[in-house]
Amino acid sequence: AGGGRVETRLSRRRLAVLAVFSCYSLVNAFQWIQYSILSNVFAGFYGVSFTQIDWLSMVYMVAYVPLILPATWLLDARGLRLTALLGAGLNGLGAWLKCASLAPDRYPLTLAAQTVCAVAQVFILGLPSRIASVWFGPTEVSTACAVAVLGNQLGTAIGFLLPPVLVPNTPNDINLMAHNISIMFYGTAIVSTLLFFLTGVVFEEKPKYPPSHSQAVLQTVPPEDYSYKQSIINLFKNIPFVLLLISYGIMTGAFYSVSTLLNQMIVTHYEGEEVNAGRIGLTLVVAGMVGSIICGLWLDYTKTYKQTTLIVYILSFIGLLVFTFTLDLGYLIVVFVTGGVLGFFMTGYLPLGFEFAVEITYPESEGTSSGLLNASAQIFGIVFTLVQGKLTTDYSPRAGNLFLCAWIFVGIILTALIKSDLRRHNVNSGIMNLDVKAVSGDS
């Protein structure tokens, strides 16, 4: 690059970094949902209430809120490699602790193990946009972010599908149930340990050459010029970001709540259909993964961040309404279809929110904006799961879902109010235009 600008080049290692991250993010998400989709089985095994089983999912959300700011500081101060190793290592540790909780009187130990996995998640969820920005070029960044988020979604999908198959409900044979649970727990522990070692081999702080001009600009800023506290203050002064923070929290919190309570919703209307409840969850997430990839590619192509986010939000609202009013018709095939449509838009929204945030907050750190978005999602997720769970138990699944519909409508209004200024895109396209002028001989 002429004019004294830093050379930009894409590293081959970027695909390996993305693949390993996606895999251990997958295992962490699998561990989040593996109890919830078998709520009735685990409630019977440990002799506890449904609410106590719901807490095995909600502990992921509770741990995130106080720990996200220290974790984001760690990412900014100590870097990508250490944060990645912490996420992968704690994920493995939690999985091995679960193997020690295989007895009906050990619910406290399985809760402690799940808490370790929840802490691991804090070092995982904020990384997709950082990995995408640091390792990938301007035309790949949204797609890379979508793929990194996709790993987590795929983990949730496998978490819906595999546990009901591995652990059928055998209330009259607790020993068989313990044996089946042990296969799931030990398998998870072995895979997560392998991924921890792979993380150590593959992850580097950053590529030798910056992949984009916006990264080159950021890398010229001396570390002492960066203030983590000032970055957070800047973000909270940024009104479009605050509006996105709330609307992202509502949408993602609603998705967490629906995922956690899906088993209870389905089994209420379709008794004995635990395996199909898992398959419906799988349909929800796989459709969402397709939605994420399409949205990521669409953003890289069009850069229409606000318009795409708003349209997906509105379609999620319509999807949830249709799902709510068709859940009790008595036809499981209808629930599969409406769940798939709901998942396509609700989960497709996740990478949109991340990328929109990075655009409207550049040059603030991607880790900080992602961390705050995820914290908002966890807070809404806890509240929504508790309230929707109560409404579902005391009244019906419809009452719980309508509660979420009302909130998503609020999210639509907030998204419509966001004024978008695409700062990162403007930096990249501005420098590219300068390069074109230099090549053509213009002054």
Side-chain angles (χ1 to χ4, degrees), residues 267-282:
V267 175
T268 299
H269 294 302
Y270 305 90
E271 207 172 319
E273 293 285 3
E274 291 90 357
V275 173
N276 271 324
R279 287 174 184 156
I280 289 164
L282 173 75

Side-chain angles (χ1 to χ4, degrees), residues 43 55 57 64 68 80 95 99 101-102 109 124 140-141 161 236 256 269 290-291 297 301 318-319 329 336 350 427 441:
W55 272 108
S57 163
Y64 196 90
I68 184 50
L80 193 58
C99 298
S101 72
L102 284 163
L109 181 55
I124 293 171
E140 308 172 322
V141 70
L161 180 69
F236 278 107
Y256 289 159
H269 294 302
V290 175
L297 290 167
Y301 180 67
I318 295 167
L329 291 180
F336 271 99
L350 303 185
V427 167

